[in-house]
Amino acid sequence: MKNEKRLVMALVVLVVMFLVLLGASGDFGSATPQQTTEDESSLADEDLIVVGFSQLGSESVWRATHTASIQNALSKENGFFLQYSNARQKQENQIKAIRGFISQRVDYIVFSPLMEDGWETVLTEAKDAGIPVILVDRKISGSSDLYTTFIGSDMEEEGRKAGLWLENDLARRGRADDPLNIVVLTGPFGSTSQIGRSRGFMQVASQHESWKILAQESGDFTVVKGKEVMAKLLRQYEDIDVVVSQNDEMTFGAMEAIAEAGLTTGIYGKMKMISFDGVKDALELVDSGKINCDVECNPLQGELLAEVIKKLEAGERVEKEYFVDELVFTKNNVSDYLSDRVY
Ligand code: GZL
């Protein structure tokens, strides 16, 4: 670590120790990059790779797993000093946290952009400060010159997988061109997950004139909002054949609303349910036949992130994007994976 960085880190350590003495604890919940609970006194003199990580929130099991995967991989034992900040679904908190990382001259900035737009200014500041930026999970709409690499999922491919599953499921029953009423519970509009999954699914749906998209509405990737939006759609439309829910949390909420309306989902139900993420609780519903298809979105990105950062530290070339491996779960294959699912 350069001498200048040693001085900055020593100051950071002193501030943190002061806060610890004051009893400050817990996640500040927004802009303030939180020091890990490492032995700060030893950090300043170890050659650790200092990483500032701005996570967009903690809205789902998927998100919590994603965060833990990165915290576990970027540990002191693995040669990292990780500064974590939870933006609680507010882009302005991510921007403040990134500015905090810049002022502390971290070695790398890692973040999952809540929305694709609005990052040019702060990422230009990081570029001008000579700090490499790595995107995880979601992307930005700005120039790819503003970040070194992306590690995450191909969301458009996930959307296509959902559409192709539905197409094949109908074709197997000789119903490929039956009239079909579809509603889509999306993630927050403007997020990479929503943009990609919607675009990919529509690439398939647009090939079928008989498929009708009745509504596409954001359920914010949460159980509560997913239930609220599904209940509203059930009041608006009597004949919904397919629900496409862009994450398992919204699926859980939607299924509550559907059950309260006296209706059923899945292989033996009134409506087909297609979900995304593939968390354990959802895979159990696939296994019981209540969710027809769950398109995996893999949150376990920490080890790959650590590997890529170490490559950069060694001066090696890295790819512009890395996609994690992902499956499609149905009743036919889910039992092969359920027992090993840790999240
Ligand atoms: C997907 C990720 C999404 C998950 C949701 O990469 O951005 O955000 O699908 C999470 O569960 O809230």
Side-chain angles (χ1 to χ4, degrees):
M1 211 186 285
K2 302 175 185 67
N3 288 335
E4 184 189 1
K5 283 191 178 178
R6 284 178 188 278
L7 177 61
V8 171
M9 190 49 66
L11 287 173
V12 167
V13 167
L14 287 173
V15 167
V16 168
M17 291 174 78
F18 177 67
L19 286 175
V20 168
L21 288 171
L22 283 181
S25 62
D27 175 352
F28 296 92
S30 56
T32 313
Q34 180 187 359
Q35 303 298 332
T36 56
T37 54
E38 303 288 343
D39 171 8
E40 281 78 13
S41 60
S42 69
L43 289 176
D45 57 7
E46 288 193 45
D47 199 14
L48 299 174
I49 303 168
V50 182
V51 177
F53 171 35
S54 166
Q55 180 58 287
L56 60 83
S58 44
E59 74 285 359
S60 61
V61 168
W62 188 98
R63 183 66 53 199
T65 306
H66 183 248
T67 300
S69 170
I70 290 173
Q71 289 175 326
N72 294 337
L74 272 58
S75 65
K76 185 181 169 188
E77 295 70 36
N78 288 347
F80 294 92
F81 174 37
L82 182 67
Q83 295 193 52
Y84 166 68
S85 166
N86 176 347
R88 297 206 183 288
Q89 306 292 329
K90 289 185 170 41
Q91 182 172 30
E92 62 266 27
N93 286 342
Q94 288 199 285
I95 291 171
K96 285 175 192 166
I98 291 170
R99 287 202 166 108
F101 298 146
I102 293 170
S103 64
Q104 290 169 38
R105 293 181 174 73
V106 298
D107 296 313
Y108 296 87
I109 290 170
V110 172
F111 81 115
S112 175
L114 179 69
M115 312 308 270
E116 291 209 344
D117 297 335
W119 303 101
E120 286 74 12
T121 302
V122 72
L123 294 188
T124 301
E125 291 166 18
K127 189 180 176 88
D128 293 346
I131 301 175
V133 171
I134 297 175
L135 304 183
V136 288
D137 171 33
R138 298 187 187 176
K139 290 189 166 182
I140 63 170
S141 56
S143 163
S144 62
D145 292 342
L146 291 172
Y147 61 91
T148 300
T149 186
F150 163 79
I151 296 171
S153 304
D154 182 342
M155 309 286 191
E156 207 167 296
E157 180 57 21
E158 290 177 358
R160 269 191 296 276
K161 287 177 179 177
L164 292 172
W165 174 85
L166 181 57
E167 190 174 72
N168 293 330
D169 183 71
L170 292 166
R172 272 200 303 275
R173 307 161 196 273
R175 295 183 49 200
D177 294 314
D178 281 9
L180 208 58
N181 289 325
I182 302 168
V183 295
V184 183
L185 301 184
T186 74
F189 285 106
S191 64
T192 305
S193 328
Q194 175 273 318
I195 293 168
R197 289 169 187 165
S198 298
R199 188 178 296 154
F201 181 78
M202 288 312 294
Q203 281 170 3
V204 178
S206 60
Q207 304 301 312
H208 297 270
E209 284 181 13
S210 61
W211 294 11
K212 188 176 176 194
I213 309 291
L214 299 175
Q216 300 190 70
E217 192 162 336
S218 171
D220 279 354
F221 281 144
T222 65
V223 175
V224 170
K225 189 70 176 172
K227 179 175 183 179
E228 179 190 308
V229 169
M230 190 68 227
K232 189 185 88 171
L233 293 174
L234 288 166
R235 289 193 296 272
Q236 283 177 313
Y237 304 102
E238 286 180 1
D239 48 357
I240 298 172
D241 300 307
V242 181
V243 179
V244 179
S245 170
Q246 292 184 350
N247 92 323
D248 290 335
E249 309 288 310
M250 294 190 296
T251 300
F252 302 146
M255 289 175 71
E256 282 180 31
I258 291 167
E260 287 173 10
L263 300 171
T264 53
T265 62
I267 297 172
Y268 316 105
K270 157 100 176 50
M271 303 175 199
K272 294 185 190 297
M273 178 60 78
I274 299 172
S275 190
F276 291 79
D277 280 352
V279 300
K280 190 177 181 83
D281 288 351
L283 296 191
E284 284 169 355
L285 292 169
V286 173
D287 195 39
S288 66
K290 293 191 174 64
I291 294 177
N292 297 80
C293 167
D294 203 327
V295 179
E296 183 176 28
C297 182
N298 182 354
L300 305 178
Q301 302 171 7
E303 286 183 16
L304 179 53
L305 172 62
E307 187 186 310
V308 168
I309 291 176
K310 296 240 172 133
K311 276 178 178 284
L312 290 166
E313 279 293 287
E316 295 176 27
R317 198 185 71 78
V318 298
E319 303 298 329
K320 194 65 184 176
E321 49 187 21
Y322 293 86
F323 292 124
V324 289
D325 295 333
E326 297 177 337
L327 298 168
V328 176
F329 298 108
T330 66
K331 177 74 173 167
N332 297 336
N333 69 347
V334 71
S335 57
D336 298 337
Y337 301 92
L338 199 45
S339 55
D340 296 337
R341 209 62 168 180
V342 293
Y343 61 90

